[in-house]
Each structure stands twice: as structure tokens, then as C-alpha cells.
Amino acid sequence: LVSAAAITSGFTSAKRGAELTLANQPGPNRSVQAVLDLVSRDQDPLLLYDDNQFLYDDYRRIPATRFQQRYFLVGQIYLGQTSPKYILHDTWKWFDEDMKQSNPAAFLETGTIDSKPFADYVHDHFQPVFDGQVGTVHLRDDVAQSVLRGSTDRAWVPPDAGGNGPGWTAVAGSAQYAQSATPQSDDRLVI
């Protein structure tokens, strides 16, 4: 009762609750959120292969397929057996239809993919672009092409090297980092 009262006493609105949830998101989750926000908007479809359905809400996305949890695709019965015989007959046909309709920009890999058809789909349609502590974000091939190798209107020119930390080497079009005596958290590159 005391815990519930403490939680609800500060509640002012659903919007404020969402703001607080976002503000308290751990750093590793924020990194994943930033990549997802770069290529999609809130409530856009996200492809997941996980049994934790709350990840969609955590990242403010919706399931890209009706098979929103891994166990649908591997034939797992809750607190029971796992067998291909428990996978619905048209699962992969429906999965393909869902993917064509939702066309998710991103796939968040949070663990081992133990379904060959799912692994094949991801391999054929997505590229890994960010490997974080809570998972690897894969972008759909065309989105990855645009983000990673898209055309730019001008080459990046580094600022005056005087403002850069000792670990950074900057030349026209690129920058490289090599650990120096300065701690990584204090070594900066002026952009």
C-alpha cells in the first residue's frame, strides 16, 4: 500500500509518466533508442525476436508481426514443451505477409536466434549497424544504405586540430580514435 501510494502520489498525467520513463531510461537502452529514433518514429513497427513483449513499450514501438514473441516461431508452449509440431501451419506465410505490410526499418536482436527461417529472413533483409550492451540493432538494407553510405552534399572538414583531444586524428572526410593517456571520457573531438 505504501509503495503504491508513493508511486501514484507523484502522478500528474500519462504524458508526464512517459516523460519520466524516458528520462530514467538506462544509458545502454538510450543508445538503442537513439538508433531507432534515427530511422523511425514512436509507434512505428519494430521487429523483435524475444519473449519479452514489454520491449516494444520500452522503445515506444509496436510489433512488426502478429508473432510478437519468439515462442510463436519456435513452437514453444508456456511452461511446456518446444517442438516444430507446435508451430502453426501457415506461420511463415503469415510472417512474410506481415513483413511486406509493416516493412519495419529496424530489427533489435537481443539474444540468440534459434529459428532458421527467422535467421534467414534477417540475413536477407537487414544489416547490423549498432552493437550495444542490450542488443544489436539491424537496419533494413535500404535504410542502412541511406544511413551508412548515403550521399552528402559536402565532405566533412575537421575543425582546427587545437581543440581536439590527444586520442583523435582528424583529416578531411574522417576521424580516428586511438587510446591516449587522457581518459576516453575526457578525450574530445570538436565537430
Side-chain angles (χ1 to χ4, degrees), residues 6 12 18 26 51 66 78 86 113 116-117 134 137 153 157 162 172 182 187:
T12 57
D51 288 335
R66 66 191 93 185
Y78 180 67
Y86 300 129
I113 299 174
K116 183 165 176 17
V134 296
V137 178
D153 59 347
V157 178
T182 303
D187 205 350

Side-chain angles (χ1 to χ4, degrees), residues 30-99:
R30 282 183 185 223
S31 297
V32 168
Q33 184 73 58
V35 176
L36 295 176
D37 288 346
L38 177 67
V39 299
S40 62
R41 296 184 308 264
D42 285 2
Q43 304 308 311
D44 273 357
L46 172 66
L47 184 60
L48 280 174
Y49 187 78
D50 198 289
D51 288 335
N52 180 0
Q53 74 271 17
F54 298 109
L55 289 174
Y56 297 105
D57 289 334
D58 290 350
Y59 293 110
R60 301 186 322 269
R61 299 302 187 268
I62 61 170
T65 175
R66 66 191 93 185
F67 305 105
Q68 60 184 313
Q69 292 166 290
R70 175 191 149 275
Y71 58 77
F72 289 116
L73 301 172
V74 296
Q76 182 177 2
I77 304 297
Y78 180 67
L79 297 177
Q81 298 179 339
T82 300
S83 170
K85 69 182 179 183
Y86 300 129
I87 299 173
L88 295 174
H89 176 67
D90 287 329
T91 291
W92 295 108
K93 180 183 110 191
W94 296 331
F95 178 83
D96 286 338
E97 290 171 0
D98 292 349
M99 292 299 95

Side-chain angles (χ1 to χ4, degrees), residues 138-188:
H138 300 247
L139 297 181
R140 196 177 63 232
D141 289 337
D142 61 317
V143 175
Q145 172 66 26
S146 175
V147 170
L148 300 176
R149 293 174 282 287
S151 61
T152 59
D153 59 347
R154 59 191 164 97
W156 178 71
V157 178
D160 180 14
N164 293 336
W168 288 99
T169 304
V171 296
S174 72
Q176 300 227 340
Y177 178 78
Q179 185 65 49
S180 68
T182 303
Q184 186 176 2
S185 59
D186 297 329
D187 205 350
R188 68 184 191 140

